[in-house]
Amino acid sequence: MAVTIRELSKRCGLSISTVSKALNGYTDISEATREAVTQAAKEIGYYPNSHARALKTKRSYNLGVLFVDDRQSGLTHAFFSFVLESFKKEAERNGYDITFISHNMGESTMTYLEHCHYREVDGVCIACINFLEPEIAQLVNSELPIVTIDHLFNNRTCIQSNNIVGIQMLVEHVYNRGHRKVAYIHGPKSAVTDTRLGSFYRTANALQLEIPDEYIEECEYNEPSSVYRATRRLLALKNRPTCIFVSDDYAALGAYEAVSDMGLTIPGDISVVGYDGIPMMQLMKPRLTTIRQDTGRIGAEAARKLVALIESPKTAIPEIMVIPCTLLEGETVRALTPPADPGL
Amino acid sequence: MAVTIRELSKRCGLSISTVSKALNGYTDISEATREAVTQAAKEIGYYPNSHARALKTKRSYNLGVLFVDDRQSGLTHAFFSFVLESFKKEAERNGYDITFISHNMGESTMTYLEHCHYREVDGVCIACINFLEPEIAQLVNSELPIVTIDHLFNNRTCIQSNNIVGIQMLVEHVYNRGHRKVAYIHGPKSAVTDTRLGSFYRTANALQLEIPDEYIEECEYNEPSSVYRATRRLLALKNRPTCIFVSDDYAALGAYEAVSDMGLTIPGDISVVGYDGIPMMQLMKPRLTTIRQDTGRIGAEAARKLVALIESPKTAIPEIMVIPCTLLEGETVRALTPPADPGL
DNA sequence: GCTTCGAACTACATCGTTTTCGTCTTCCTA
DNA sequence: TAGGAAGACGAAAACGATGTAGTTCGAAGC
């Protein structure tokens, strides 16, 4: 139904080859005919059929996106949807569509890599996944251009949010407001979690904050109910913390609920900070103090780097790009006057 | 890099044609060779190249998704992301990938229809869009299989959430709890808005509720700030309503904020109801009373109907499918004892 | 023994592009 | 004037699949 290059060539009175070359910037075509061809192409709305082109050139102008979080929230993931949106926008700006990579297509099951080959995607962006799965390893060890988000692989480009500084800023922030008893409900084991937890301990250490083991709880990312339970446990401690770090903004809703259910208030009885900076939590009462990850840049840079790897494989070298984040000061951290630090 | 049918045919000692036919269920292939071929295919992980196949068969096993809301929220749209997620799952179950249709690919601008032709999508799902755009009309008038969500086109399959009953349930609910002064902050003009507003008036009428014009405000969907402003206007009225209907759940956050900013409380001073039933608002304090739209079924049915239109064009006829919704009773509607109705 | 037939397989054209390698002018130079 | 270079275009072979139209071969029919 769509118009093909044959019709265009008929219309121009030129051979198919000439038309193709005119459109693809070959130099052995006179300016006059190039003009005529592009003009005619515009008039009849000609676009080269992507499949025919992909078949010939091995380039599909499709980027694979692989995102599978533990909770299977998929596209509804509060944080990731922002990253994906900007990734998509930047990809489109470069002429790429995106394809979600999964391993259950119809009857058959294909591995991620097989799906990538099947659709012949030009590159893949991997995010928020269980990076230890063997299928991921198969993909990462393939010849495909790959950009990962927040997880570093050998010799692969990675876009990282600056989790070290992010957590550091948060710890310092609550410290400066007088908090000395700080708990952390962190996510399940992963590169991101490790980094954040490491930075948490390190910063606490530098500030001579003692973190008892009972202040460290584990939860699922993006899962308010698991944070709810962890929060209740923390609030039930004899030596109750004055401030709780929560794995992520969305899950922090669980903390809000737990505090409220126990008849307490934020920040009156307990301070809470999140991580991500999704818009929704800035509309809460009280507004959440958190770290805003620059999802716009993370997604866009991921797309940009991936396109660079695809289009200029010689010059584009694997690199680690760290995206800065910012502290969003909300209303969930109470200022204390710590008796132990009269000198401040 | 991926394995082709040629290698598979070599491996089996058969011609390419035979292998193809064996895999595609042709009957002039002996069971023995079919077995051998499928077995070998599995072993070396053969999948037919999607582009080659699409080129030949005119079927890409790709579904286009067109979603552009007024706010350009894209994939971050709280409600739509749930619909999309289930659409995607069901599409994949049927062997289809999805492709986002947009009109800014790289340098050039293509119409939605051109993008569909370019990628040769087998069908399109259109949702939440400004259905009056000429580009949409061009798409809808094309020969492509199309399913729309919540907007009815001539002779096109449409999946509709039951907005009439949804609003009706809400009105009756607040009525039964004694509310007689009910305001509605509705979204911008569209099919959905018209339906809901119509049902609102009709149900109010049936219950002999009078709705003064000043109780009807307009806002943007999914935009808390516009609801914030509208809520403040309503609360500033001399004849203040006792209950406010808000366009959608997410935007209802604006109402929460406005009420709180004016030193009032929900539901103590004013009752609020939303629409959509997104999980997040069920974690709020107070929990939002709202209508839960069955995003799981909406998305899945859209995909299912679209696949049916594609694969069985003879038997699949355009139809309107109405998906039921349910009332989620939260904590934002206060029970009043209306002096005017002592008889109840 | 020769034709006929059906089962099982293969050759080949085709889909819409890109791209290599020609071909044909025209023009310049020795 | 022959020869070559340069400029502008076209023919045809891919790319990896599908599907039509054969081909082959053994068995059956007469």
Side-chain angles (χ1 to χ4, degrees), chain A residues 253-317:
Chain A
L253 278 174
Y256 277 58
E257 198 175 3
V259 171
S260 149
D261 281 4
M262 292 182 78
L264 305 174
T265 65
I266 301 173
D269 301 296
I270 180 80
S271 294
V272 170
V273 302
Y275 207 98
D276 282 350
I278 57 178
M280 174 197 114
M281 292 307 288
Q282 296 306 305
L283 298 170
M284 289 295 112
K285 295 281 175 182
R287 199 154 28 87
L288 183 64
T289 292
T290 189
I291 291 293
R292 188 179 116 71
Q293 298 201 64
D294 194 343
T295 52
R297 275 198 65 198
I298 295 173
E301 292 292 356
R304 218 168 288 151
K305 293 292 173 203
L306 188 51
V307 169
L309 284 171
I310 293 166
E311 301 188 346
S312 336
K314 317 281 179 207
T315 61
I317 48 172

Side-chain angles (χ1 to χ4, degrees), chain B residues 93-244:
Chain B
R93 263 185 16 87
N94 285 276
Y96 289 78
D97 280 311
I98 72 179
T99 292
F100 294 110
I101 302 304
S102 64
H103 51 199
N104 290 308
M105 290 303 293
E107 324 282 89
S108 59
T109 326
M110 31 176 102
T111 66
Y112 295 136
L113 180 57
E114 282 168 345
H115 194 173
C116 289
H117 280 150
Y118 167 60
R119 290 290 180 190
E120 247 175 11
V121 296
D122 297 329
V124 189
C125 174
I126 312 182
C128 302
I129 207 160
N130 176 358
F131 283 94
L132 302 173
E133 268 186 71
E135 273 199 30
I136 301 295
Q138 183 197 22
L139 183 57
V140 172
N141 291 326
S142 77
E143 78 298 345
L144 274 169
I146 285 179
V147 167
T148 60
I149 291 179
D150 271 347
H151 190 283
L152 196 55
F153 279 106
N154 221 353
N155 216 29
R156 289 296 199 178
T157 292
C158 177
I159 312 295
Q160 283 185 316
S161 195
N162 199 337
N163 288 304
I164 295 177
V165 169
I167 289 291
Q168 189 186 328
M169 286 194 293
L170 274 183
V171 175
E172 285 169 355
H173 177 71
V174 304
Y175 182 90
N176 288 337
R177 306 206 93 196
H179 290 270
R180 297 297 177 268
K181 291 152 68 170
V182 183
Y184 189 175
I185 306 174
H186 62 79
K189 181 152 185 59
S190 71
V192 170
T193 304
D194 289 352
T195 307
R196 293 186 188 166
L197 201 50
S199 176
F200 179 77
Y201 275 121
R202 188 140 58 94
T203 312
N205 213 44
L207 294 170
Q208 298 187 329
L209 281 184
E210 198 170 329
I211 312 289
D213 284 351
E214 58 183 8
Y215 278 13
I216 303 298
E217 286 276 353
E218 183 168 330
C219 69
E220 299 288 327
Y221 282 116
N222 210 42
E223 179 57 41
S225 69
S226 69
V227 168
Y228 178 89
R229 291 189 297 272
T231 305
R232 291 199 73 129
R233 286 196 295 273
L234 288 173
L235 292 177
L237 289 177
K238 257 202 214 89
N239 181 28
R240 179 193 286 175
T242 63
C243 179
I244 300 179

Side-chain angles (χ1 to χ4, degrees), chain A residues 163 166-167 169-171 173-174 183-185 196 221 227 243-253 255-256 266 271-278 281-282 287-293 326-333:
Chain A
N163 288 304
I167 289 290
M169 287 194 293
L170 273 183
V171 174
H173 176 71
V174 304
Y184 191 175
I185 305 174
R196 293 187 189 165
Y221 283 115
V227 168
C243 179
I244 300 179
F245 278 45
V246 176
S247 58
D248 61 291
D249 275 20
Y250 185 69
L253 278 174
Y256 277 58
I266 301 173
S271 294
V272 170
V273 302
Y275 207 98
D276 282 350
I278 57 178
M281 292 307 288
Q282 296 306 305
R287 199 154 28 87
L288 183 64
T289 292
T290 189
I291 291 293
R292 188 179 116 71
Q293 298 201 64
T326 51
L327 180 74
L328 285 185
E329 192 173 340
E331 308 157 339
T332 51
V333 177

Side-chain angles (χ1 to χ4, degrees), chain B residues 53-122:
Chain B
R53 170 190 281 221
L55 186 57
K56 189 68 176 115
T57 62
K58 304 279 161 215
R59 298 268 281 99
S60 64
Y61 286 92
N62 244 312
L63 301 182
V65 171
L66 183 43
F67 169 75
V68 187
D69 64 331
D70 296 316
R71 306 288 314 162
Q72 306 282 8
S73 35
L75 303 174
T76 70
H77 193 288
F79 171 70
F80 181 66
S81 65
F82 281 92
V83 175
L84 183 57
E85 174 66 18
S86 69
F87 180 87
K88 172 169 167 286
K89 280 228 180 76
E90 180 65 19
E92 284 172 358
R93 263 185 16 87
N94 285 276
Y96 289 78
D97 280 311
I98 72 179
T99 292
F100 294 110
I101 302 304
S102 64
H103 51 199
N104 290 308
M105 290 303 293
E107 324 282 89
S108 59
T109 326
M110 31 176 102
T111 66
Y112 295 136
L113 180 57
E114 282 168 345
H115 194 173
C116 289
H117 280 150
Y118 167 60
R119 290 290 180 190
E120 247 175 11
V121 296
D122 297 329

Side-chain angles (χ1 to χ4, degrees), chain B residues 4-5 20 24 26 46 49 52 56:
Chain B
T4 78
I5 200 174
S20 172
N24 288 303
Y26 278 64
Y46 167 79
N49 178 288
K56 189 68 176 115

